[in-house]
Amino acid sequence: MSTENNKIMVIGGGIAGLTAAWELSRLGASVELVEKTCFLGGHAIGFCCKATDECVQCGACSVEDMLKKVVGEPGITVHLATEVDKIGKNGIFSVKLKKSSPTVNMPVDGVIKGYSKNNDPLYVVVDKDKAAQIPEGAVDLSELGTTGELEVDAVILASGFQPFNAEIKKTYGYNQFKNVITGMDLERIKRQYGDVIRPSDKKQPETIAFILCVGSRDERLGNLWCSQVCCPYALRMANDIKFKNEEADISVFYMDIQNFGKNFPDFYEKCQSSMNFIRTIPVDIFPVEDDKLKMRYFNEEDGQSVENVFDLVVLAVGITPDPDNKNLAKLLEIGLNVDGFLGGIDPLNRTRTANEGVFIAGTVEGPKSIAGSMAQAGQAAAEVMKYLEVNK
Amino acid sequence: MSEMILSDMEEIKINTDVLVVGGGYTGLKAAKGISDSGYSVVLIESDTIIGGEKNPLSFIGIDVTAQDELKRLVDDVAADDAVNVLMNTRLVSAAGVPGDFTIRLATSDGDLEKKIGAIVVATNFSNKPLSGAYGLSLSDSVLTLSQLEYLLSGSDRDRLSNKTIAFMVGFAQEGDALVMERILSNVLAVESIGGCTTYVFAGNLKVASDGLERAYLESRDKGATYFKLKTMPTISPDGESISFIDPVLRKKMELSPDVIVIEEEILADEMNPLLAAILRIDVGPGGFLQTDNIHRFPVQSNREGIFVIGGTRDVQNIPTALMDVENAVLEINHLLKDGKIVVPKNKAVLDIGKCTFCITCYRLCPHGAIYWDNTNKPVISPVACQGCGICASDCPMDAIQIGNYSDAEIMDKIKSNGSAAPDDLRIVAFCCQNSAYEAGLMADAFQMETPANLQVIKVPCAGKVDLDYIMKAFVEGADGVLVMACHPGNCKSEKGNTYAEWRVVDAHRMLEETGLEKERLGFVTLASNMGIGFSSAVVDLENRLKALGTSPFNK
Ligand SMILES: Cc1cc2nc3c(=O)[nH]c(=O)nc-3n(C[C@H](O)[C@H](O)[C@H](O)COP(=O)(O)OP(=O)(O)OC[C@H]3O[C@@H](n4cnc5c(N)ncnc54)[C@H](O)[C@@H]3O)c2cc1C
Ligand code: SF4
Ligand code: SF4
Ligand code: SF4
Ligand code: SF4
């Protein structure tokens, strides 16, 4: 089995897309990797390490690893700031690419770091006027992007997810109160500062609340799935905070705690003995003095309403489908499932789609971890091999 | 395999037959997939049948699609000439290295020796009833989950109509999504029988798997009542009454079900430890054959050419096991290619002239890449070797050299001190290429603070850092030295970071003997995404050195 002389398009340069591209390229195929934004790695490239005195297997560093492999691989052509405009199938797929208009979370100085070949940092200047200092070799965002036509033998769609928009849960005051942050923010803060700090004063918080299932398993929102990653990242993060600061007082508000890692029962026991686990969904949050937050919730044991003050509240937002999935479904002639993720047609092998020759991998298909996205990307690459074997 | 760019390559011929251990669902699927991609397969099964038919429900439960698929698969494998199925057969020994394993099989007709290129291990789970933990003995009204599954899939299922059935899950064990999946599909099946009332007593609802939250809500809509409790409810020894405090109404309740269904614990195959010993692969938590290390995901063992899939490596459901199968097929294609593979000549080179046959290298190699040839001399397999250098650092004769990281090359780097800031305190940092070296690049790229006279020396694994290198760095005028490794549990070579730390401890002792402050030498663990961690580690050392002053060797 070999995919030599075949060309495959991978849509999306998150961990799923990177892994799929790498696996296919290792089999000798040439890969066109199309990424909408101006950097590779997707959501997980901004995540932090959650190790204490040992690795807790969060998987964040595997994304760096895979990125390094992909940008050093001559068989993979990366198209940043690019989208698929049209796609037609007549045995092979004819693809038209267009420049995308990436919306970027611009840091204050207007420069973001993407990646070019050989893993050299690629600086993208989003707004020249705002960039305090333009690094040598920086590329203007408007110069990025590919337009043109391509012919490919198969397609892997790995366009990922959107984190739940915490503003929708109005009573929690996200984006209103400085020290109410999401899991995404926490990942970014810890990656940048090396420690967990409060946005308001950059100080180490002493009392911290994690609210789980924000935007997931929520009948009122109609989000009837468990995001599978928020218990893991929240507890790993809480565990690390506790390791670095024994005095930290951590409360976890939850419905059910999900397993992760191979040593979960031990890990969970350790968490239970060092943190407060409160089974309830908090009602609301108000700011009090010193940018602290007062949270109200019902105590399951006595049915009383309780108020508690925290330095920092972390909303463990989950995985929601990208609103763009509808368009992608139409473009690629594949199905959307009840939850808005892109649906496979085979419950046992979820990489297959209604359009033969188009396979899906990663969180575009449903909630999963980094490791799960990588495994599914491998599966999709293997499916592509099989498909090409039959359709030679 | 590591990403070294090595000029000296050689082509070698390898055996492309594959051994699959285990004739259950995943084993069969793997055998078929591997054979479809052009390799011959030997599939061994210790039982007298394949497809796990003796206990078909233990893995695939009452999922009809999966059951049908299994039947088809058994036929497909039987019809496939490239798959040689050996029943009643066990693996006795496996010598050699990927591309050239010699295995011995014990079959019902005596022993058999075979040459193969790669091995896929696909053992099954076993189920342990937990009725004892609930203080119950099994009876007509106290069933295990498996017993209920048998009942539901047989003609007897109407025995359950108009019954009140209580399920217990998550009190005798933490549980997992696979146990939950089985519970939920059984609850739904019971609800489709006329007149049944179902109660589910649960610790944590483990719904972190595709579709489980929906299945849970559906079962509730269809009438199942869930009680989520923090501790096990009190059950009378005959199983006839359950008393508990309802957390919603906060009131004491009592229930008298007709049938109680008790959760089961999913355990690793009993065969695993023996297989691990034969194959020289690591055993992970719970007796599953994979350590908890992201570098092993999804299907790698610590040895190249030996892959672990499905229930062998973790508790997982069928779609996940199928992902494993396809990842193993991919890996086998990458490894065996068309029987000719190109490998670097100098990844690890053993100078047999210097060797005293002490077997240190054989013992320490975490990847099982060293074997003894028929003249009883150690040989390093270029296919299996990952170039970590752990063997090289501990060989008492310095008989092993690693390509691009030979002792001479590293010593040259230590001596060179090409830094632009000769007046500043000089720090030498030995950095693992997988973690700290990358973190250092990140620190640079984001212009984080680092000492002016910092020299980073890249090593393939911190386990490559020899005691000699550390001492040499001080002799050559370093004011401080850091050994920077991966976090424990994140080493691609499992223990390279541990060996490195031990060497730093040894070096501390030697430093004190020579009168140098041991604070000048540090050991730090990092991940590749910790640019800021790299920066603070090197800055910390520089601050310590500022207090200590220039090294006495440097005056
Ligand atoms: C707060 C938070 C914390 C998490 N922490 C962890 C953790 O610690 N460990 C863990 O294992 N998992 C964690 N996860 C889950 C993890 O983020 C995902 O598993 C992973 O990022 C999924 O990768 P992906 O490639 O499927 O999607 P994404 O990361 O979303 O990548 C998709 C890529 O496709 C691109 N794209 C989208 N649409 C298009 C298009 N039309 N054309 C071209 N390109 C497109 C996007 O720009 C993006 O680069 C966390 C999730 C959240 C929300
Ligand atoms: S905790 Fe996560 S980022 Fe840190 S080393 Fe382990 S897997 Fe990598
Ligand atoms: S993983 Fe945990 S926090 Fe996330 S949706 Fe599932 S139960 Fe809620
Ligand atoms: S210890 Fe490392 S370098 Fe030595 S033979 Fe084994 S894998 Fe190769
Ligand atoms: S450690 Fe060195 S001396 Fe000992 S057997 Fe290996 S190569 Fe020979």
Side-chain angles (χ1 to χ4, degrees), chain A residues 106-383:
Chain A
M106 191 182 30
V108 261
D109 61 358
V111 181
I112 59 169
K113 191 186 152 214
Y115 292 87
S116 65
K117 284 246 146 154
N118 310 319
N119 208 20
D120 294 329
L122 163 76
Y123 296 97
V124 180
V125 181
V126 184
D127 183 342
K128 273 201 177 115
D129 298 331
K130 280 200 193 152
Q133 187 198 353
I134 300 178
E136 206 182 323
V139 184
D140 199 313
L141 186 57
S142 59
E143 289 162 24
L144 282 175
T146 308
T147 45
E149 272 151 47
L150 275 180
E151 290 197 328
V152 297
D153 302 292
V155 176
I156 293 182
L157 176 67
S159 53
F161 71 103
Q162 281 302 319
F164 175 72
N165 174 6
E167 283 180 16
I168 295 172
K169 300 289 272 184
K170 289 211 166 57
T171 57
Y172 293 160
Y174 180 63
N175 268 346
Q176 269 177 280
F177 315 136
K178 284 185 208 140
N179 294 329
V180 175
I181 62 173
T182 66
M184 286 301 287
D185 300 328
L186 187 60
E187 294 271 6
R188 219 175 296 138
I189 288 172
K190 186 151 192 293
R191 186 182 167 105
Q192 186 179 348
Y193 296 96
D195 278 313
V196 172
I197 51 149
R198 293 212 310 172
S200 68
D201 53 10
K202 310 260 181 305
K203 283 203 189 117
Q204 179 178 296
E206 293 299 325
T207 50
I208 304 144
F210 283 86
I211 306 181
L212 300 187
C213 299
V214 176
S216 321
R217 306 185 65 195
D218 188 324
E219 288 184 76
R220 232 182 290 166
L221 292 172
N223 291 353
L224 307 184
W225 60 84
C226 163
S227 289
Q228 305 181 22
V229 298
C230 10
C231 280
Y233 79 70
L235 290 192
R236 281 170 172 144
M237 206 76 97
N239 175 58
D240 187 30
I241 294 174
K242 198 74 197 165
F243 176 78
K244 307 243 151 81
N245 174 16
E246 233 179 279
E247 301 297 303
D249 185 358
I250 299 179
S251 301
V252 180
F253 295 88
Y254 75 107
M255 291 201 267
D256 298 286
I257 300 292
Q258 306 302 325
N259 293 30
F260 50 91
K262 296 192 179 203
N263 279 315
F264 179 73
D266 293 344
F267 183 88
Y268 184 35
E269 227 175 87
K270 196 170 113 203
C271 291
Q272 279 177 306
S273 66
S274 60
M275 307 167 198
N276 318 309
F277 279 78
I278 303 161
R279 190 175 236 163
T280 188
I281 301 170
V283 180
D284 49 21
I285 295 169
F286 294 100
V288 289
E289 77 293 344
D290 190 26
D291 290 316
K292 288 178 195 268
L293 302 148
K294 184 194 280 178
M295 184 194 289
R296 285 199 306 164
Y297 61 91
F298 286 103
N299 186 340
E300 192 184 80
E301 255 105 70
D302 55 12
Q304 299 299 308
S305 174
V306 185
E307 289 186 350
N308 235 332
V309 174
F310 296 99
D311 294 338
L312 181 72
V313 175
V314 182
L315 308 178
V317 294
I319 287 179
T320 61
D322 191 322
D324 204 29
N325 282 359
K326 286 188 206 75
N327 302 329
L328 284 168
K330 214 181 289 161
L331 186 74
L332 294 165
E333 295 174 44
I334 59 181
L336 207 62
N337 72 20
V338 274
D339 294 324
F341 294 102
L342 287 172
I345 46 165
D346 177 351
L348 293 179
N349 180 343
R350 299 169 195 270
T351 64
R352 295 202 191 123
T353 71
N355 189 352
E356 246 202 305
V358 177
F359 301 89
I360 54 176
T363 47
V364 63
E365 183 270 319
K368 53 186 69 63
S369 66
I370 292 166
S373 300
M374 293 175 80
Q376 200 176 38
Q379 185 181 28
E383 286 295 322

Side-chain angles (χ1 to χ4, degrees), chain B residues 181-233:
Chain B
E181 189 173 328
R182 288 180 68 199
I183 296 268
L184 289 171
S185 60
N186 281 288
V187 170
L188 283 166
V190 165
E191 280 168 338
S192 69
I193 302 173
C196 279
T197 312
T198 41
Y199 295 97
V200 182
F201 292 86
N204 280 308
L205 293 177
K206 302 286 181 181
V207 289
S209 182
D210 293 312
L212 292 195
E213 176 74 4
R214 271 188 187 275
Y216 157 63
L217 295 171
E218 185 188 339
S219 71
R220 251 183 24 188
D221 285 348
K222 292 199 170 140
T225 307
Y226 285 76
F227 297 109
K228 290 207 272 179
L229 310 177
K230 284 197 173 145
T231 51
M232 193 184 282

Side-chain angles (χ1 to χ4, degrees), chain A residues 66-110:
Chain A
M66 190 53 77
L67 178 62
K68 186 177 147 204
K69 288 181 190 164
V70 166
V71 293
E73 175 64 39
I76 303 172
T77 310
V78 179
H79 305 276
L80 294 175
T82 304
E83 266 177 304
V84 176
D85 187 18
K86 287 204 187 89
I87 186 162
K89 185 177 167 191
N90 183 5
I92 56 168
F93 295 89
S94 318
V95 183
K96 214 169 144 230
L97 297 179
K98 65 170 180 195
K99 285 191 184 198
S100 69
S101 36
T103 44
V104 278
N105 271 339
M106 191 182 30
V108 261
D109 61 358

Side-chain angles (χ1 to χ4, degrees), chain B residues 348 361 364-367 369-370 380 384-392 400 402:
Chain B
C361 54
L364 288 187
C365 173
H367 303 287
I370 302 179
I380 298 178
C385 173
Q386 306 293 309
C388 64
I390 287 174
C391 55
I400 303 174
I402 306 297

Side-chain angles (χ1 to χ4, degrees), chain A residues 54-59 232 236 258-269 369 371-372 375, chain B residues 121 123 125 173-177 206 265-268 272 281-302 306-316 320 324 489 494:
Chain A
E54 59 178 5
C55 164
V56 292
Q57 315 300 341
C58 79
R236 281 170 172 144
Q258 306 302 325
N259 293 30
F260 50 91
K262 296 192 179 203
N263 279 315
F264 179 73
D266 293 344
F267 183 88
Y268 184 35
E269 227 175 87
S369 66
Chain B
V121 189
T123 54
F125 303 129
Q173 61 172 342
E174 187 44 43
D176 50 63
K206 302 286 181 181
E265 189 179 4
I266 298 171
L267 298 171
N272 284 359
I281 57 173
D282 295 336
V283 181
F288 291 94
L289 296 187
Q290 193 181 50
T291 52
D292 199 11
N293 182 332
I294 52 154
H295 298 300
R296 301 286 168 260
F297 290 161
V299 296
Q300 313 278 357
S301 71
N302 53 308
I306 302 180
F307 305 101
V308 285
I309 62 172
T312 306
R313 67 173 189 95
D314 210 350
V315 176
Q316 49 181 231
T320 318
D324 277 12
E494 295 291 343

Side-chain angles (χ1 to χ4, degrees), chain B residues 218-544:
Chain B
E218 185 188 339
S219 71
R220 251 183 24 188
D221 285 348
K222 292 199 170 140
T225 307
Y226 285 76
F227 297 109
K228 290 207 272 179
L229 310 177
K230 284 197 173 145
T231 51
M232 193 184 282
T234 314
I235 309 173
S236 64
D238 52 9
E240 277 176 10
S241 94
I242 304 171
S243 51
F244 60 100
I245 308 230
D246 182 333
V248 181
L249 303 174
R250 276 179 305 282
K251 146 167 138 194
K252 204 167 162 152
M253 305 260 287
E254 203 167 302
L255 246 167
S256 306
D258 301 308
V259 177
I260 294 191
V261 181
I262 306 288
E263 61 181 321
E264 284 166 324
E265 189 179 4
I266 298 171
L267 298 171
D269 200 308
E270 289 170 357
M271 225 156 60
N272 284 359
L274 183 63
L275 273 173
I278 292 172
L279 296 172
R280 292 169 59 207
I281 57 173
D282 295 336
V283 181
F288 291 94
L289 296 187
Q290 193 181 50
T291 52
D292 199 11
N293 182 332
I294 52 154
H295 298 300
R296 301 286 168 260
F297 290 161
V299 296
Q300 313 278 357
S301 71
N302 53 308
R303 290 188 72 189
E304 182 68 272
I306 302 180
F307 305 101
V308 285
I309 62 172
T312 306
R313 67 173 189 95
D314 210 350
V315 176
Q316 49 181 231
N317 63 3
I318 295 181
T320 318
L322 289 183
M323 269 189 214
D324 277 12
V325 166
E326 298 218 35
N327 277 286
V329 172
L330 258 191
E331 290 299 339
I332 290 208
N333 275 272
H334 290 321
L335 176 69
L336 302 180
K337 301 210 162 65
D338 57 357
K340 283 185 270 167
I341 60 170
V342 178
V343 289
K345 265 190 204 160
N346 65 342
K347 209 184 247 175
V349 180
L350 195 157
D351 180 349
I352 211 72
K354 289 187 180 166
C355 171
T356 55
F357 313 109
C358 70
I359 72 167
T360 301
C361 54
Y362 173 82
R363 260 190 323 108
L364 288 187
C365 173
H367 303 287
I370 302 179
Y371 63 102
W372 296 79
D373 69 4
N374 41 24
T375 63
N376 234 346
K377 294 196 177 98
V379 181
I380 298 178
S381 154
V383 186
C385 173
Q386 306 293 309
C388 64
I390 287 174
C391 55
S393 321
D394 257 323
C395 169
M397 307 311 296
D398 290 336
I400 303 174
Q401 294 298 328
I402 306 297
N404 294 353
Y405 297 99
S406 68
D407 289 332
E409 280 164 286
I410 292 186
M411 288 300 190
D412 273 353
K413 283 192 186 132
I414 295 171
K415 271 188 253 173
S416 74
N417 187 20
S419 162
D423 297 336
D424 286 286
L425 288 163
R426 180 177 173 219
I427 296 176
V428 173
F430 294 101
C431 294
C432 167
Q433 63 169 355
N434 300 314
S435 53
Y437 183 75
E438 289 297 317
L441 291 181
M442 182 175 165
D444 267 356
F446 288 96
Q447 288 139 28
M448 292 164 180
E449 189 186 353
T450 51
N453 194 352
L454 168 70
Q455 188 189 7
V456 168
I457 297 180
K458 178 167 148 185
V459 286
C461 167
K464 176 76 184 83
V465 179
D466 210 312
L467 198 55
D468 293 350
Y469 299 171
I470 300 175
M471 300 319 286
K472 181 76 177 174
F474 282 112
V475 171
E476 291 296 331
D479 299 299
V481 174
L482 272 180
V483 176
M484 305 178 93
C486 305
H487 291 305
N490 191 260
C491 173
K492 275 193 182 162
S493 299
E494 295 291 343
K495 288 203 239 33
N497 46 5
T498 313
Y499 296 138
E501 190 171 9
W502 289 348
R503 284 185 206 123
V504 168
V505 172
D506 282 348
H508 274 153
R509 220 188 35 240
M510 289 173 72
L511 287 183
E512 285 186 323
E513 281 165 15
T514 56
L516 222 58
E517 304 88 344
K518 66 178 213 188
E519 290 73 25
R520 291 183 183 274
L521 169 64
F523 176 78
V524 178
T525 64
L526 289 176
S528 56
N529 53 13
M530 290 176 65
I532 188 79
F534 179 92
S535 163
S536 56
V538 285
V539 170
D540 273 1
L541 178 66
E542 190 186 33
N543 289 338
R544 260 185 288 155

